[in-house]
Amino acid sequence: MMRRTLLLCLALVSMASADVWVDISEGERLYREAGGYGCAVCHGQVGDGGGQAGGYIRGAGLDQLNESLLTNAPMQPLSTVLSEQDRLNISAYLADLAERPLITARFENGQWVGQAEPVSAGQTVDLVLYNATFEPLAVDFPVLKQPLTLPALGTDVWTGVIQDPTLDLPGLTLERL
Amino acid sequence: MKLFKSLALVIVSLSGFVWAESIAVYKSPTCGCCTEWVKIMEKAGHTVDVYHPADLMSLKQELGVPRQLGSCHTAVINDFVFEGHIPEADILAFLENPPEGAKGLAVPGMPGQSPGMARPGETYSGFNVIEFNDQHQLKLFNRY
């Protein structure tokens, strides 16, 4: 939380003509709610793609966002409601996401499989868990500290510090990216 | 057009169900792919009334759409709820013989090769149509 607040207070984006304050929390809110449905519906809960049409956008910059709002048909209508400041805030949120390695894990056919970006010990990661079955699923990876239950076809995101960079989570087969 | 409507009426009468006067679609004014889905339904001969509620997410909750099945637009037909980019054929099949206890169907998220997202003429693929009930229990309805 403190890290997030610091980022909110200190984040500065250098522009050609001036330094502009950005609000990462506002960028996150817009990511979830812009246009009434948010970027998340096309890009996953944390820019991970989530198997949707929009794909992975963690770390996408302001230029990429502006280009997509200009040329990508499903996104074009959003360009009318996102101000320049909104766009800065969203791109700052996406940059913030990219600071954390992403681990995705999907439970299907009785097993967890996933992918992991390179992780160092002590690093904060985003762990996206998806239950691809039609029944609720209890998840008790030790790293979570406390178990959680994913609803049928549900997704949850755990953000926390990984101490063991081998990501040796019981029952999870990971592909290293 | 009159002949088409009469023919459509005969067909739905024979098939055992009657459409509501129109399909109510709730969407954001900034949603382009929702509009594409509406066009597909209109092209198939249905009348669609489009609404832009101030709080789309709350409306989905009120209509009973399970949170994890959310997409961009929500349609209501004959008190059943249809969330997201569902092919018309599945809606017809559902309405013709509604599964016991079912509240509606959903295609969660934004699959790239679903109606309203796919390029014109592209085969629908890579997504599931999910049936749900009031208790938010889920079942596979169709697979593409």
Side-chain angles (χ1 to χ4, degrees), chain A residues 43 57 60-77 79 87:
Chain A
H43 296 285
I57 52 167
L62 181 62
D63 288 348
Q64 283 172 274
L65 176 59
N66 280 331
E67 176 71 12
S68 295
L69 287 168
L70 197 63
T71 60
N72 184 287
M75 288 180 65
Q76 281 170 338
S79 66
R87 299 173 192 211

Side-chain angles (χ1 to χ4, degrees), chain B residues 19-30:
Chain B
W19 281 83
E21 293 267 321
S22 65
I23 303 170
V25 172
Y26 301 92
K27 62 180 271 298
S28 159
T30 59

Side-chain angles (χ1 to χ4, degrees), chain A residues 32-33 35-38 41-42 52-53 74 77-78 80-81 134 151-155, chain B residues 28 30-32 56-57 68-72 108-112 117 130 138-140:
Chain A
R32 307 207 175 285
E33 298 176 12
Y37 43 87
V41 74
C42 268
Q52 304 299 331
L78 275 173
T80 60
V81 295
F134 287 86
L153 303 182
T155 301
Chain B
S28 159
T30 59
C31 182
L56 195 56
M57 288 181 183
Q68 70 271 33
L69 300 188
S71 180
C72 45
M110 301 281 200
M117 292 293 288
I130 311 297
L138 314 182
K139 211 185 273 186
L140 181 66

Side-chain angles (χ1 to χ4, degrees), chain B residues 4-51:
Chain B
F4 172 77
K5 279 193 172 171
S6 304
L7 195 61
L9 190 61
V10 170
I11 289 169
V12 294
S13 300
L14 287 174
S15 66
F17 73 93
V18 179
W19 281 83
E21 293 267 321
S22 65
I23 303 170
V25 172
Y26 301 92
K27 62 180 271 298
S28 159
T30 59
C31 182
C33 59
C34 305
T35 304
E36 294 305 311
W37 186 83
V38 167
K39 283 183 194 168
I40 289 170
M41 295 304 281
E42 287 177 332
K43 201 172 171 187
H46 308 296
T47 303
V48 182
D49 291 328
V50 175
Y51 302 93

Side-chain angles (χ1 to χ4, degrees), chain A residues 44-59:
Chain A
Q45 286 197 16
V46 286
D48 52 295
Q52 304 299 331
Y56 183 104
I57 52 167
R58 293 163 74 93

